[in-house]
Every structure is written in structure tokens, then in C-alpha cells.
Amino acid sequence: MSKQKKHPPTPKRARIVDVANAAGVSTATVSRALTGSGRVGPELMQRIEEAVVATNYVPDSVGRALRRQRSDLWAVIVSDIRNPYFVELISAIEEVASLEDQSLVLYNTDELQVRERRFIGSAVAQRMSGVIIAVASEQDSDLSALEEAEIPTIVVDRRVQGFSGDSVVLDNIQAGKLAAEHLLKLGHTRILGLFGPSAASTTFDRYIGFKAAYENSQNRNYGTSSLLTDIRADQAQAVTAHALRGGLRPTAIYAANGALSAGAYRAVQASGLRVPEDISILGTDDTPWATMVRPALSVITQPVAEMGKVAAERLVKRNQNPEVEPLHLVLSPELVIRETTGPIHQ
Amino acid sequence: MSKQKKHPPTPKRARIVDVANAAGVSTATVSRALTGSGRVGPELMQRIEEAVVATNYVPDSVGRALRRQRSDLWAVIVSDIRNPYFVELISAIEEVASLEDQSLVLYNTDELQVRERRFIGSAVAQRMSGVIIAVASEQDSDLSALEEAEIPTIVVDRRVQGFSGDSVVLDNIQAGKLAAEHLLKLGHTRILGLFGPSAASTTFDRYIGFKAAYENSQNRNYGTSSLLTDIRADQAQAVTAHALRGGLRPTAIYAANGALSAGAYRAVQASGLRVPEDISILGTDDTPWATMVRPALSVITQPVAEMGKVAAERLVKRNQNPEVEPLHLVLSPELVIRETTGPIHQ
DNA sequence: TTGTACGCGTTATCAG
DNA sequence: CTGATAACGCGTACAA
């Protein structure tokens, strides 16, 4: 005699035992048949398949996850969900996830440590099978909880202190260098550099690379004024506008991320200055508008789709074999010269 | 102090029973203390809190979900994850989810029924506490599985046949009407209309609204040629380019979604025609580039952030009380006149 | 090859 | 206010 109305008023959903009964076999056999984890006779297989259809059975992921101690969930933790760069990254990861029958859990830290901490805790609590993360801070982000929980973790876009697992990042020093060399070659010495957000390793590296290239050049007496800050697009616009109104205004601007590029472009547009005759603009990341504006934006680009794909595939591999040697992939940026960068013109 | 472990060196996470032992209470009391589902004496509460810290306990979401028959997961199913419109929608939903301690599972159907079907199955299998969906097809999308599983479902952006639950959509007929009236007022009669994707109710409604406004106007002998199709941005560009080369070319273009707007804009740019003197362009959705290009794009916009927020909050409410009357919210589009639309000019 | 039985971690029920 | 305990649905030793 079983009690009937015990738990919440749940709707009836077929369980594995219902399938077993319908097929006249045991639950173990049904499980084996459905997961392919053991040999099952052809005639039983047939009966089970019919029973699955008849009962409209869908395996319960929660029960399965509890038993397996691992859910079919990947977390993707990014610092800014609206940034087209991350959208592209997420999109690439999603493609692989879908292929692997994994569900993508999206977390947006908004560059905030507290949120990141919470999300990592969530991933652990839900026993996710993987985490791909663009950390909020190189110094302060803490991935140890993931390590302890033995959740495969791939660090993308930004480095983290104290993490030695898989990582897929850009050669950001090279990105900064590429930018500087391009502007140097065009004769620019008075440059406004916009860098941010300050806690990201990408920011730091681009800044270092950019500065180093200038200091190593013949042209030592340059007058770069670089802002390494946490401003967003609209503030970048204000800062740029201010710089353009100054007496000794820059002849070129280098914006080290997508949002800053937009702010800079807008400010220049509003200033009425001619581009690139009066001022050059070199942006970062191939945002959709880069090729729609006139003049079209010259940029330093990243192979972001590849980064996402590689990171996701790495997750798959590490789940198959946790012992594989950590991957430390560093991809190369590219300079795409369009119309906003030109020789200095007095 | 070391715990005795079984042979496998698998580092075990603290369970609720570990906390209970450390605090010298029962698991039931720990559970009540942590979930706040029952009153617990202050001294025990104190001990339990200490024990939680001491054991570094994190409640296991999987075990909880199994017991509760409901996980802390929301699915967001959209048809195109790269569309800035959906990015904005997702972003708004994520904000609420984070507040509610729900994790967002992102599914991208890419307008494909098969994928949508799979994702819905996934949401059911994982016993998610809610689904927000922009369906792939008004006619063919099937939400009955969610209904059977009693998963609160909010339909956004696009209608679905046979669904009578909560929905948050735009008045798309009005959107089409707004577009037509604006162009009518400017004197345009030869218009290229770009509509898509064909299976979406948004497409249909905008088309109907647009057409109706023209037919109801004094100006009956208009020559709109409307393409209702599944083309994407690059194909829209080709189609537009072709139309512009024709002998009797349109004096205005209405693009009924973001991607088509981009294609149209690019084609016009390449044609060398003056905007809006030679040709007007009216786009849809306030994509980031709309205000960066010159001339800036006139558009029909939607309150997308509000749509996401309302949908998410509705999910919360329905989880609290499944019996509330279904919400059928229809929001209003707005016409934002910028620089790409002007009076006809022979 | 197939079946039995147990446990994954949690919470709701029930009794005290 | 607290404790003991029975499920939730599944996969897998172990037994047959």
C-alpha cells in the first residue's frame, strides 16, 4: 500500500520504472539500454524503445545528475554580456555545447567580484561539468573553488593570477604593439590612449605592448597620454571630446576595447574634425558598426570565434580525460587597416 | 582532523549531514536553518552557522532539485543569439534572474524547429522553474511539453499558435503602420519592403500593418514591392542593391528587422545614392550602429529592456502563484526619426 | 544478459 | 522547536 499524495502536487511524468514495467523488464535494463552502458538483448531493446515512446518517457536530468555527481551544464561567465565580443564568444561556445548536448548557463559579472564569486559558487553547487570564464580581475578573481570541486575550467580572454589550468587568450602585448607600430609608421607622436577596464589583464598587456613599442622606436619624444581607467563608452566619449578641445590636441587615438572605440569615434564625429586628415582613430574588436560607419574604422581584431570554439572543445576533451596536459593557447591579433588611420598631416 | 575516506581519492564535498554532525543537530534542523522554512532556536542557529563555515558547506543544488522536483534554472530560448535585440532582451532577463538567484540557461534555435524541440525537452528534463521563449515559428512551434510538465512559460517577442499563457510582445501591426504612415507623410509611394523571417508572427504583423496603412491612405496607387523572406543581412544587401539598380527604383526602403536594416543600409551606401534626397531608409530596432552612421538611421524601436524585465518578473510571480490570470502584455513601438528618412525629392 | 538493491543529497512529513 | 525517516529518479555494483 503506497501513500499517494505525498509530495507537492506533481504532474505525472513517466519515470524509468514506468518504462520498465511497460516493457516487462527491470529498471537496470532500461537504464543500460538508454545510456548504452551495457549490452542489452535485441528483443528487449526493441520492447524498451516502444515502451519509451508509449510512456512518453524523458530521462530526468536531475536524478541522473545526482547519481552521476555531475550535471550536463556548462557555465559561461563573462564580464559584460552586451559586449559584441563576448556575444560572439558565447555564440561560438554555444555551438559546441549544443553538439555535445550540454546546456549553457550564462552568468554576467558586470566586472564585479561579488557577482563572480556567487556565480562560481553556483557552478559548484550545481555540479556543472565545465566552466568557461573571462574573469573580472587578474589579481582578485579566485578560481580555487572550481579547482576543489574538480570542475574543468577554461580561462578565456583574460589571465588570472594563480591559475595554471587551460587557457585561451590573445597575445595582448602584441595587440598593443601592432597598434603602436601602425601609428608610428604613420608618423603619429601625440596620441590619446584609451585603456580599460583596469583590472583586466588584457588592458594591462595592451598598454604595456603599446608603450614599449613607442619607447623602443627611434621617435623617443612622443607625447602619448594614456588613460587606464574603468570608463565606459559614454564617458570615453566625454574624455575624448575634452582632449580634442585642448590646445595641443592628439593626432591619433588608440582605443583598446570595443566600447572605448565607440566612445572615441562618436566624440571625433561630433568634433567636426576630418578623419584621418585631422585625426586618426584605431579601434579594437570588429564590432558590427566598424564597417558601417564612414570612414570605416581601422581596428586590431581577435579571432574570437576560434577562441570560443577551442575553449569549448577543450572542455569536452578534459571531461573525457582529466589528466591531459593543460592547454595554454595564445592567439595572435591582426591589424585591419580601413579608413580611420592615415599619415600625419600638418 | 582528518576524515576517514574510502579508497578513491575523490575529495568529497561537505554534505548537510556533515554540517549536522559538526553542529550536533539533525539534518532536518540544518535544512530548516538554511532554507528558513521553519523556526530554529537561536543557539542552534548559531552553532549551525559556525558549522557551515567550518565545513565549508555549499548546499547541493542537484539534491535539492531532486527533492523539490524543481531546479533553480530558467531557460531563455531565442532564435538568434547574435541579434542585438535578443542580446538586450537576455541581458534584461539576466538581471532579474540574478536577483532571484536563478541561473539562466541560454538556448539558440537559429530559427530551427528541431533545435527548439530539443531545447524544450531539455528544459523539461531538467525540471526548470521557468522558460522564456521567442519561438521559431508561429504555426509549428509546440509548447505543449512545457505545459504538460507544468513549467511556467512566458512567450516573448513572437506569438505562438495554441498558446494561451503569459505573453509579452510588441504591437507589431502598429509598428508596420507607424512605418507606413511616416513614409506616406513624406510622400513615398514606391517602396521596397524587406520582411523576415517568414515564420515569425512579428514579420507577418509588421507586413500586415504596413500594407494596411498604405491601402487605407488616399494614395492608393502605390508601388510597394515587399519581400517576405528568410534572407539574412548579406542577402538583404544583395537584394537591395539589385532593386536600386532597376529602372524604376524605390524612393524609400522599410526594413522590418535589425539584420535587414543593416543589409539595406550597406547596399544604399555602396550605391552612391544620397540619403535621404535620393532614397529614404527606415529601419527597425535601435542597433548600436544606428546612431553611429551618417546619416543616422531612422527606426521603429521596441522597449526591449522592459519586455525582458516584465517577462522575467512574470516568471517570478507565476512561480509564487501558478493560478494568477495570464498576462497578455502588448507594448507599443515608437518611431524615432533621425536622418535617413526625408520627403520625396524629384 | 538480466534483475535486485542501494545510495547519490536534500527536504517534507510526522511524531515527540 | 527538534529529530528520525521516507521519498525524489537514476545508475551501477553485485548477484543470478
Side-chain angles (χ1 to χ4, degrees):
Chain A
M1 236 158 284
S2 62
K3 308 186 179 181
Q4 296 181 357
K5 283 199 167 184
K6 258 234 125 167
H7 290 309
T10 56
K12 48 184 163 84
R13 203 171 113 191
R15 297 155 304 166
I16 199 171
V17 62
D18 300 318
V19 178
N21 289 340
V25 299
S26 74
T27 60
T29 304
V30 175
S31 176
R32 281 188 285 255
L34 266 38
T35 63
S37 59
R39 304 223 46 87
V40 174
E43 63 274 49
L44 287 193
M45 188 64 111
Q46 172 78 7
R47 294 223 306 271
I48 290 171
E49 280 169 4
E50 288 170 7
V52 166
V53 176
T55 56
N56 191 27
Y57 174 66
V58 179
D60 185 311
S61 303
V62 179
R64 172 175 290 177
L66 182 62
R67 173 64 224 216
R68 291 221 239 250
Q69 301 277 70
R70 188 119 300 191
S71 62
D72 289 337
L73 255 33
W74 285 355
V76 175
I77 307 179
V78 298
S79 53
D80 178 10
I81 202 187
R82 305 187 195 212
N83 185 333
Y85 168 80
F86 285 121
V87 171
E88 189 69 26
L89 186 76
I90 292 165
S91 186
I93 295 170
E94 194 273 343
E95 266 178 54
V96 180
S98 181
L99 249 42
E100 296 288 326
D101 268 301
Q102 303 288 314
S103 292
L104 214 64
V105 177
L106 183 58
Y107 292 120
N108 179 30
T109 65
D110 216 11
E111 311 281 3
L112 264 32
Q113 295 281 329
V114 270
R115 302 196 83 199
E116 184 175 87
R117 188 172 201 74
R118 254 184 49 218
F119 296 152
I120 288 175
S122 238
V124 172
Q126 308 194 39
R127 294 189 127 87
M128 299 200 182
S129 62
V131 171
I132 297 179
I133 181 171
V135 297
S137 164
E138 176 178 7
Q139 307 298 327
D140 303 329
S141 286
D142 179 13
L143 270 35
S144 60
L146 294 171
E147 203 169 341
E148 282 165 24
E150 292 187 347
I151 296 180
T153 303
I154 319 287
V155 158
V156 289
D157 187 48
R158 307 166 171 189
R159 277 179 284 122
V160 205
Q161 206 176 42
F163 178 82
S164 57
D166 302 289
S167 66
V168 179
V169 298
L170 189 77
D171 184 343
N172 286 293
I173 292 184
Q174 178 63 13
K177 219 163 143 187
L178 232 46
E181 285 169 357
H182 178 50
L183 295 178
L184 263 172
K185 199 171 291 176
L186 293 170
H188 295 282
T189 52
R190 232 163 42 243
I191 298 167
L192 171 63
L194 264 23
F195 298 87
S198 60
S201 70
T202 49
T203 298
F204 184 72
D205 288 0
R206 287 168 198 175
Y207 175 70
I208 292 298
F210 186 79
K211 209 174 146 204
Y214 255 93
E215 289 177 347
N216 289 339
S217 73
Q218 274 82 330
N219 197 332
R220 286 194 156 277
N221 59 339
Y222 72 105
T224 300
S225 85
S226 292
L227 279 85
L228 207 157
T229 164
D230 287 325
I231 52 174
R232 303 229 164 172
D234 50 350
Q235 294 152 309
Q237 183 175 348
V239 166
T240 305
H242 181 76
L244 294 180
R245 276 195 303 271
L248 202 63
R249 62 170 154 76
T251 64
I253 303 175
Y254 168 46
N257 76 35
L260 298 177
S261 303
Y265 197 96
R266 285 203 150 98
V268 170
Q269 242 180 2
S271 74
L273 261 31
R274 292 169 306 162
V275 179
E277 291 83 357
D278 297 332
I279 187 154
S280 286
I281 314 175
L282 179 56
T284 300
D285 289 345
D286 237 341
T287 70
W289 58 267
T291 56
M292 303 210 62
V293 293
R294 288 293 116 84
L297 187 70
S298 296
V299 288
I300 305 290
T301 68
Q302 323 183 31
V304 52
E306 192 189 345
M307 292 172 75
K309 184 164 184 252
V310 170
E313 286 170 348
R314 190 64 189 182
L315 214 45
V316 176
K317 175 164 282 180
R318 186 159 291 286
N319 263 307
Q320 288 164 352
N321 172 17
E323 306 303 333
V324 292
E325 209 51 22
L327 170 73
H328 299 294
L329 185 58
V330 179
L331 295 167
S332 295
E334 269 184 44
L335 169 66
V336 177
I337 303 175
R338 289 199 267 253
E339 303 162 357
T340 56
T341 47
I344 191 164
H345 188 279
Q346 329 262 13
Chain B
M1 21 180 53
S2 66
K3 287 184 190 172
Q4 284 198 344
K5 288 180 186 172
K6 306 208 169 184
H7 306 136
T10 50
K12 257 195 152 185
R13 268 170 54 186
R15 297 154 303 164
I16 199 171
V17 61
D18 300 319
V19 178
N21 290 339
V25 298
S26 74
T27 60
T29 304
V30 175
S31 176
R32 280 189 288 255
L34 297 182
T35 62
S37 59
R39 302 241 54 86
V40 174
E43 62 270 55
L44 287 194
M45 188 63 112
Q46 172 80 7
R47 294 223 305 270
I48 289 171
E49 279 169 4
E50 287 170 8
V52 165
V53 176
T55 56
N56 192 28
Y57 173 66
V58 179
D60 186 311
S61 304
V62 180
R64 172 175 293 177
L66 181 63
R67 173 63 226 216
R68 295 225 244 244
Q69 302 277 68
R70 190 117 297 191
S71 62
D72 289 337
L73 256 30
W74 284 356
V76 175
I77 306 180
V78 297
S79 53
D80 178 10
I81 201 186
R82 304 188 195 212
N83 185 333
Y85 168 80
F86 285 122
V87 170
E88 190 68 26
L89 187 77
I90 292 165
S91 187
I93 296 170
E94 194 274 342
E95 266 179 54
V96 180
S98 181
L99 249 42
E100 296 288 325
D101 268 301
Q102 303 288 315
S103 293
L104 215 64
V105 176
L106 183 59
Y107 291 120
N108 178 29
T109 66
D110 218 10
E111 310 281 3
L112 263 34
Q113 295 280 330
V114 271
R115 301 197 84 199
E116 184 175 86
R117 190 172 200 74
R118 254 184 49 217
F119 296 151
I120 288 175
S122 239
V124 172
Q126 309 193 41
R127 292 184 185 277
M128 298 200 182
S129 61
V131 171
I132 297 178
I133 181 170
V135 297
S137 164
E138 176 178 7
Q139 306 298 328
D140 303 329
S141 285
D142 179 13
L143 269 36
S144 59
L146 294 170
E147 204 170 340
E148 283 166 23
E150 291 187 350
I151 296 180
T153 303
I154 319 287
V155 159
V156 290
D157 187 47
R158 307 167 172 188
R159 276 179 286 122
V160 205
Q161 205 176 41
F163 178 83
S164 57
D166 302 291
S167 65
V168 179
V169 299
L170 189 77
D171 184 343
N172 287 293
I173 292 184
Q174 178 64 11
K177 217 162 142 187
L178 233 45
E181 285 169 357
H182 178 50
L183 295 178
L184 264 172
K185 199 172 291 175
L186 293 170
H188 295 283
T189 52
R190 230 161 44 241
I191 299 167
L192 171 64
L194 263 24
F195 298 87
S198 60
S201 70
T202 50
T203 298
F204 183 73
D205 288 0
R206 287 169 197 173
Y207 176 70
I208 292 297
F210 187 79
K211 209 172 146 205
Y214 255 93
E215 289 177 347
N216 288 340
S217 74
Q218 273 82 329
N219 196 333
R220 287 196 156 274
N221 59 340
Y222 71 104
T224 300
S225 85
S226 292
L227 278 85
L228 210 158
T229 163
D230 287 325
I231 53 174
R232 302 228 165 173
D234 49 351
Q235 295 151 309
Q237 183 174 350
V239 165
T240 305
H242 181 76
L244 294 180
R245 276 195 304 270
L248 202 64
R249 62 171 154 75
T251 63
I253 303 175
Y254 168 47
N257 77 34
L260 298 177
S261 302
Y265 197 95
R266 285 202 150 97
V268 171
Q269 242 180 3
S271 74
L273 262 29
R274 291 168 309 162
V275 179
E277 292 83 357
D278 297 332
I279 186 154
S280 285
I281 314 175
L282 180 56
T284 300
D285 290 345
D286 237 342
T287 70
W289 58 266
T291 55
M292 303 209 63
V293 292
R294 288 292 114 85
L297 186 72
S298 296
V299 288
I300 306 289
T301 68
Q302 323 183 31
V304 51
E306 192 189 345
M307 292 173 75
K309 184 163 184 253
V310 169
E313 286 170 347
R314 190 64 190 181
L315 214 45
V316 176
K317 174 164 282 179
R318 187 159 291 285
N319 263 308
Q320 287 165 352
N321 173 17
E323 307 303 333
V324 292
E325 208 53 19
L327 171 73
H328 298 294
L329 185 58
V330 179
L331 295 168
S332 294
E334 269 184 42
L335 168 66
V336 178
I337 302 174
R338 289 202 266 253
E339 304 161 356
T340 56
T341 46
I344 192 165
H345 188 280
Q346 332 264 12

